[in-house]
Amino acid sequence: MWGGSDASIEAAEYRARAGALTLSYLTSGLTRDTLRTVLAQAATGTYLVNADELTVPDKAERVNDVFADRYLVEPVDPGDDPDDPETMMQPTPAGREVPLVGATLQSWLHRCPAGPIELGEGSGEALWSLLSGWTSTVVHALAAGSQTVAEVQEEVAVLEQEAVEVRLSMLEEVGLLRFLADPGGEEEARFEPTEWLRLGIAPLAAAARMELRHPLEDTAPIAAADVEAALRLTLPLLRMKPSLSGACSLEVELDEGVLGSPAGMTARIEEGRVVACEPGIDPEADAWVAGSTAGWLDAVIDRNQRALRSGGDWRLPRDLFGGLHKVLFGSR
């Protein structure tokens, strides 16, 4: 199951939406169980913990916690006692993913429209706004375009209007949403994603790949809704060659047992710009590309497309993946 589908869910059973728990854990200093509870509260609106009463460890405690975390570090010699202070430690395979996740998050924070944010205590408000919006699927509801509060609530389904308004306000205050007021006052105000919110898919994707490669029981696999939201948010950012036009079907094969597999979108391109992202696979599209979630993440993050299959006009998937990599990860 993926996180946040049932407002009565117990925190102990909650599995955090892809990417959210890893980004929280690597930046907050709190335990995974505590963060899972906080994310469950954000996702469901059920009161589970008073966030103001949580105690964040100091720097020395955080260092000790890292060396005690067998998910991230392990003895160089497997026979050595990991609790012995003299034991030489090294990153685990999961730990070796941390620098990329951290660098991607820092790169995104540096692109804040109000000015660069440094990763640390000052980044908490922006990051939590992103993660709260992502884990509650408020971000997913806005991926297709501008929405009213009522429309977002209808799409999210499990949150009361007040909770939706709180998450929208948080996103707007840090520059992740744009408030669109009706000048005539005749229609309800709307919210739309900013470019910075669209770019926020980069750290989420890097963290989700770490979870996919090194899974724990507290994180959920990538869901169909995550794929569709990520594509809808990022594809409009692309600026390809003006000579490129056509339709490309994008198919993502989700992990075994995940509902909605394969997740599909069709991107329609006119003169190098993605002008429409339509749910579903168009069999009449000029090109198609398909593969697993792992294959897609490798293609976008590393430009490694070996695990993907494609057909038709080869220029379309080539330039789509090249564009996504450049806009999301090209600066690293």
Side-chain angles (χ1 to χ4, degrees):
M1 63 180 285
W2 50 269
S5 60
D6 183 351
S8 65
I9 192 170
E10 294 291 338
E13 300 173 350
Y14 178 79
R15 297 178 67 188
R17 186 169 294 278
L21 182 55
T22 291
L23 289 177
S24 303
Y25 180 61
L26 295 179
T27 57
S28 72
L30 298 173
T31 67
R32 294 182 72 96
D33 283 345
T34 297
L35 290 167
R36 181 170 56 174
T37 302
V38 173
L39 290 168
Q41 180 168 293
T44 66
T46 302
Y47 180 82
L48 299 169
V49 63
N50 186 343
D52 293 332
E53 295 179 356
L54 297 177
T55 302
V56 179
D58 60 27
K59 187 174 182 179
E61 290 176 316
R62 292 187 188 190
V63 172
N64 290 333
D65 288 343
V66 168
F67 278 91
D69 187 346
R70 298 298 164 257
Y71 180 62
L72 298 178
V73 295
E74 63 186 0
V76 173
D77 184 339
D80 288 348
D81 180 3
D83 297 321
D84 186 339
E86 301 299 320
T87 296
M88 294 293 294
M89 306 294 284
Q90 66 180 0
T92 62
R96 288 193 284 272
E97 304 262 353
V98 172
L100 171 61
V101 176
T104 304
L105 177 57
Q106 180 65 90
S107 177
W108 175 71
L109 290 168
H110 276 177
R111 299 164 91 168
C112 173
I117 300 173
E118 294 301 323
L119 186 57
E121 292 183 6
S123 63
E125 183 179 5
L127 180 57
W128 176 244
S129 297
L130 173 67
L131 298 182
S132 178
W134 178 254
T135 202
S136 64
T137 70
V138 165
V139 167
H140 299 60
L142 290 154
S146 66
Q147 304 284 330
T148 66
V149 173
E151 288 169 341
V152 173
Q153 183 189 10
E154 182 179 2
E155 184 71 20
V156 173
V158 300
L159 293 177
E160 299 294 333
Q161 179 171 322
E162 182 179 356
V164 170
E165 290 174 344
V166 167
R167 284 150 184 76
L168 291 172
S169 178
M170 290 169 57
L171 290 162
E172 183 200 2
E173 287 178 5
V174 298
L176 294 169
L177 288 184
R178 186 178 296 109
F179 180 72
L180 304 173
D182 177 25
E186 297 179 358
E187 295 185 4
E188 189 176 350
R190 309 180 75 84
F191 293 85
E192 70 175 7
T194 63
E195 180 175 311
W196 196 38
L197 175 56
R198 297 178 186 277
L199 293 170
I201 292 299
L204 286 165
R209 185 172 73 165
M210 178 177 167
E211 295 171 356
L212 182 64
R213 288 175 167 178
H214 313 286
L216 292 175
E217 292 300 319
D218 52 10
T219 58
I222 295 171
D226 301 334
V227 171
E228 292 165 4
L231 291 173
R232 279 178 157 165
L233 285 168
T234 57
L235 289 174
L237 294 171
L238 305 188
R239 304 293 182 266
M240 297 168 285
K241 296 177 181 178
S243 60
L244 190 69
S245 295
C248 185
S249 289
L250 313 170
E251 183 176 305
V252 183
E253 298 153 359
L254 307 176
D255 288 2
E256 184 177 355
V258 178
L259 298 177
S261 185
M265 298 286 292
T266 297
R268 302 202 180 277
I269 304 160
E270 294 181 5
E271 298 181 349
R273 299 287 298 272
V274 176
V275 296
C277 298
E278 301 170 356
I281 301 299
D282 181 359
E284 303 299 322
D286 302 291
W288 60 272
V289 59
S292 66
T293 50
W296 271 81
L297 288 168
D298 288 346
V300 173
I301 296 173
D302 300 326
R303 297 199 71 175
N304 176 5
Q305 300 179 31
R306 290 193 295 270
L308 300 181
R309 310 178 303 280
S310 61
D313 185 347
W314 57 272
R315 299 175 304 157
L316 293 169
R318 179 201 64 182
D319 288 9
L320 284 172
F321 281 113
L324 286 171
H325 171 79
K326 181 178 180 180
V327 74
L328 296 175
F329 297 94
S331 61
R332 64 181 175 89

